[in-house]
Amino acid sequence: MLRTDGTRWVKASGTPINLKGTNLGNWLVQEFWMMGQGGNGVHDQCTLEAELTDRFGYEEKERLMKVFHDSWITERDWDQLKAFGFNVVRLPFLWSVIEDEQNPKTLREDAWHYLDWAIAEAKERDMYVILDLHGAHGGQTPNDHTGCSGQNQYWTNAEYQDRTKWLWEQVATRYKDEPVVAAYDPLNEPWGSTAEDMKTRVLELYDTIRAIDENHIIMLHSHYGSIDVYGDPATAGLTNVAFELHPYPGLFGDRPNDSHYDIHRDWLRCGESGTGGVCEWNTRLTNLDTPMLMGEFQPWQSAGLELGGKLGRATYDTYAQYGWASTSWSYKLVSIAGGQGEGTWGMVTNVPNTELDVGVGQIVKASTWDCNGWDSTFAEACADQPGTISPKGEGSKTYYIIIKTGANAGSIPDVTYDNISLVNTVTDEDLIVNGDFEDGFTGWTTVAISGETANDFYFAQAGKLPTGGTGAALHIGRPAGVDGEINSAIYQAVTLEAGQEYVFNGVFRGNNSTNTWAEIYLIEEEPIAGVDVIDDQGRVDFTTASAEEIEALFASYGTVEYDVHEGLAHWLVTDEHNDVFDYPDRPTNLVLTEGDESNGLTWDSVAGEGITYKVYRSTSPAGDRTVLAEDLTVTTYTDADLLGGETYYYSVSAVSASGESYRSEPVNTELQYVVIPARIEAESYADMLGIVVEACTDVGGGQNAGWFDGGDWIEYQIHVPEAGDYTIDYRVASQDGSTGFELLLNGTQIDTKAITPTGGWQAWSTVSSTISLPVGNHTLRFNMLGGGGWNMNWFEISAD
């Protein structure tokens, strides 16, 4: 029986054990994106089971779901898990795996079949199992991974809470003496309410389990990455507990313009300061004398097979270094097209499907789940790339090119497209009308699927146009005041000749999008308002397919040939040195010589073989860095591409065959004062202490400053040409409200503001004051007063 000892997971003997494994996602609670199915209203396990029951009856629904459960994970999967070198699996399950959905607080006849079988398979291979209630009654979040999307009723329904306690009583009674069970995870991602509500319900389940089982470790789940609400477990009288975190650096809109390498290096090697990332968490856990489960993480997706494999090994090894248990998300993913590409969310997926009509269906895809701030050609799209298009059959046929873009509720798309073409390789004819958007809306039709996006067909904002584009571009954003999920498409008809070949090209860019998808389809059906566009090649329509067809699909998951991530298969078990973070030292003594027409840089050389240098420039301390030069073999550089009125920030990195160093300490030209009236973006500060800049989902996207704590400050340089009273508008967001800040002008307070709750960290509101400003150059400082958190996107000073 495993237990905790300080910050370690240990065996009964007290010997530390490093638990390394993965999640068996989509097995005992379905997530449709993990098996490439869904559509026509069937989008999660609840809607699937309802549809099957309505069409075939309850008993047949149960039989079909059993076929699925018997097929998704089989003995070959347990053998493959062992081949990856794993000794633990986290086992997500839905409440209805145990409780009879037709008879509350009654065990199903086969209640323990799959959990018992998983424990037996694990035991045979010297592995452990973490039992994870992924979907509680009513859903503990609105997301589909609870089995039923859009519910989130667990927090307000006393019956659901009571039945969840009953369920854990049954689990604890069944497995209280089972040493293969490493831990109980009472509620996966319990984020549908406040941190305080989460604590109440999790500790309620802790007490329920402890009344029966005093032996097993119980997980205390974080609330969106925060464990503060629990305080010190020992002081609270909690025994044999571990915290749980689900870190996904670089995904879901995090650091959209940085590479996989930079993001995971910062997380696993603690950033430029040496105190961030995992180092910060190690300090916190050491102070609390409590261990950690990294319950979900994903470092290899879209990173390429070799780099992805190395990052995966480095992640597991780093967590083990601190004694943390770790289970990635996720083991298996099946798609219609199959194949690993640049790396999928699954460690195994199905081999590429060669029977598909190549070039028809979904032909291009990127999303913030697949890559960060993409800026690429369609041929290099991170999730799906177009192949050669060659229609089958005879004669001509009409298809529709469809560009579909959308974003989840609370998120915002910021996607641009340009130079779209579909060219006949024989005649060189381009079938796309106005693919460069120089003629605005001409040639395209818009259709709303769920909510409407804001479409600009003649977009020309610098810094957001895709590389390789020319002139105007198509921009997809979120309309002001629209809060829910948005999903819409533009399309046009094209006529293709059977037997001829066509090549599809274009460029697109994700900018600062968060929780956003960008997909392009070539299909035969014209889009219809309110109906999602899907690639139905190889997809089973659960609303019309026969029971035999559905059974065949479910059974195929047990026999489909696997495409195993070759990078992970090698790097997770090899004794070979992993050089992924053997990067050089950062350059030092960067010196800037500022001139009227150019700026000169010099720095000290870095020791190492084959060292070259990169020079970066930005126009604010936290702004996006542009690579000015790379592959430099000398330690000097002259920047002659200057614009008047800008403050430039420079840094330099060293590059070896193994990787790129951290950037040098930055240097900057003389600070330029912003002339008032003006709107000043929060990230364009002159100096700060303790501030974090992050992606912003407010109108216009970009970045916001936040994580303000008492004693933090942020400064701006302004020039006031005319003394007088001015209106200052602050664009702020706060989930719970804050005591806010005081505003200082050259050290003297001129305003103070408390921040009322806006409903979320990215729910934005504008508050105003009147301030008096004298003529001249001034330093404007926001001093944080503490007491609750808040974010700032921008502030604007205008004539009163």
Side-chain angles (χ1 to χ4, degrees), residues 362-482:
Q362 179 178 281
I363 55 176
V364 176
K365 181 181 178 181
S367 78
T368 54
W369 296 276
D370 294 302
C371 50
N372 300 294
W374 70 87
D375 182 10
S376 72
T377 64
F378 293 162
E380 299 170 313
C382 61
D384 199 5
Q385 309 83 36
T388 300
I389 298 168
S390 183
K392 297 176 181 178
E394 298 179 355
S396 60
K397 195 171 187 178
T398 298
Y399 294 85
Y400 294 89
I401 284 285
I402 305 167
I403 302 173
K404 187 180 78 159
T405 316
N408 289 344
S411 303
I412 192 165
D414 188 5
V415 182
T416 47
Y417 301 84
D418 203 3
N419 286 13
I420 299 173
S421 63
L422 179 62
V423 176
N424 186 308
T425 59
V426 175
T427 65
D428 287 333
E429 178 188 7
D430 182 1
L431 279 65
I432 299 295
V433 176
N434 190 29
D436 56 8
F437 303 101
E438 294 297 326
D439 293 328
F441 186 74
T442 302
W444 298 96
T445 300
T446 301
V447 60
I449 298 167
S450 56
E452 293 190 14
T453 56
N455 302 335
D456 185 345
F457 285 84
Y458 198 80
F459 184 80
Q461 182 177 333
K464 292 194 174 185
L465 300 178
T467 300
T470 55
L474 166 68
H475 180 262
I476 308 295
R478 178 185 287 276
V482 176

Side-chain angles (χ1 to χ4, degrees), residues 728-733 741-743 750-753 755 764-771 780 782 790 792-796:
I728 183 166
D729 296 320
Y730 308 100
R731 187 67 169 172
V732 298
F741 62 91
E742 60 175 352
L743 185 65
I750 60 172
D751 192 22
T752 183
K753 213 69 168 173
I755 309 298
W764 295 95
S765 178
T766 303
V767 295
S768 304
S769 291
T770 299
I771 57 175
L780 205 58
F782 291 76
W790 63 286
M792 180 168 67
N793 186 14
W794 47 258
F795 64 94
E796 185 169 15

Side-chain angles (χ1 to χ4, degrees), residues 119-382:
I119 289 169
E121 293 295 319
K123 180 180 295 185
E124 185 177 323
R125 294 164 179 82
D126 296 320
M127 298 172 70
Y128 292 91
V129 174
I130 297 171
L131 297 179
D132 158 41
L133 181 57
H134 220 68
H137 286 284
Q140 69 274 21
T141 79
N143 301 319
D144 63 345
H145 56 62
T146 63
C148 305
S149 60
Q151 292 196 1
N152 197 35
Q153 298 172 7
Y154 170 77
W155 307 100
T156 56
N157 189 306
E159 179 191 351
Y160 292 156
Q161 295 165 12
D162 187 53
R163 288 169 67 181
T164 301
K165 288 191 291 183
W166 174 88
L167 184 147
W168 275 111
E169 288 174 344
Q170 313 313 305
V171 174
T173 300
R174 180 78 173 185
Y175 298 117
K176 63 181 180 179
D177 298 318
E178 176 53 70
V180 172
V181 174
Y184 300 135
D185 193 350
L187 282 176
N188 173 69
E189 297 186 356
W191 302 341
S193 188
T194 64
E196 289 74 17
D197 281 351
M198 177 194 72
K199 175 185 175 182
T200 298
R201 299 278 80 87
V202 169
L203 295 188
E204 177 180 72
L205 295 174
Y206 169 89
D207 290 338
T208 299
I209 294 168
R210 278 288 177 261
I212 298 169
D213 184 345
E214 298 180 354
N215 297 320
H216 280 100
I217 298 169
I218 298 177
M219 307 312 305
L220 303 179
H221 210 299
S222 62
H223 192 268
Y224 289 107
S226 173
I227 60 174
D228 294 343
V229 71
Y230 296 108
D232 184 340
T235 301
L238 305 178
T239 61
N240 214 25
V241 295
F243 290 116
E244 181 173 351
L245 195 67
H246 290 183
Y248 284 105
L251 297 176
F252 308 110
D254 177 39
R255 295 180 59 174
N257 298 312
D258 289 330
S259 70
H260 289 89
Y261 183 85
D262 282 347
I263 289 166
H264 291 285
R265 182 186 59 179
D266 284 355
W267 170 245
L268 298 172
R269 292 297 179 266
C270 307
E272 296 183 11
S273 68
T275 59
V278 296
C279 288
E280 179 183 352
W281 275 102
N282 183 53
T283 299
R284 297 176 70 184
L285 293 167
T286 300
N287 291 336
L288 294 169
D289 203 28
T290 305
M292 172 70 87
L293 166 66
M294 291 299 193
E296 294 182 18
F297 57 94
Q298 174 48 264
W300 62 78
Q301 197 271 337
S302 292
L305 300 187
E306 180 69 5
L307 176 60
K310 290 182 174 182
L311 289 174
R313 175 63 181 268
T315 303
Y316 279 113
D317 285 355
T318 301
Y319 294 162
Q321 171 188 337
Y322 296 109
W324 302 340
S326 56
T327 52
S328 61
W329 192 277
S330 184
Y331 165 69
K332 179 178 179 178
L333 179 146
V334 171
S335 65
I336 293 172
Q340 278 286 342
E342 288 297 299
T344 72
W345 279 76
M347 305 179 75
V348 301
T349 185
N350 48 316
V351 298
N353 190 338
T354 58
E355 296 182 359
L356 293 178
D357 188 359
V358 175
V360 175
Q362 179 178 281
I363 55 176
V364 176
K365 181 181 178 181
S367 78
T368 54
W369 296 276
D370 294 302
C371 50
N372 300 294
W374 70 87
D375 182 10
S376 72
T377 64
F378 293 162
E380 299 170 313
C382 61

Side-chain angles (χ1 to χ4, degrees), residues 56 157 254 288 332 351 359 435 534 549 559 579 622 626 656 677 783 787:
F56 307 123
N157 189 306
D254 177 39
L288 294 169
K332 179 178 179 178
V351 298
I534 61 172
E549 291 171 322
T559 58
D579 65 355
T626 299
S656 70
N783 261 354

Side-chain angles (χ1 to χ4, degrees), residues 82-94:
K82 194 64 178 177
F84 280 128
F86 291 153
N87 64 355
V88 66
V89 295
R90 183 168 176 259
L91 181 55
F93 65 91
L94 186 62

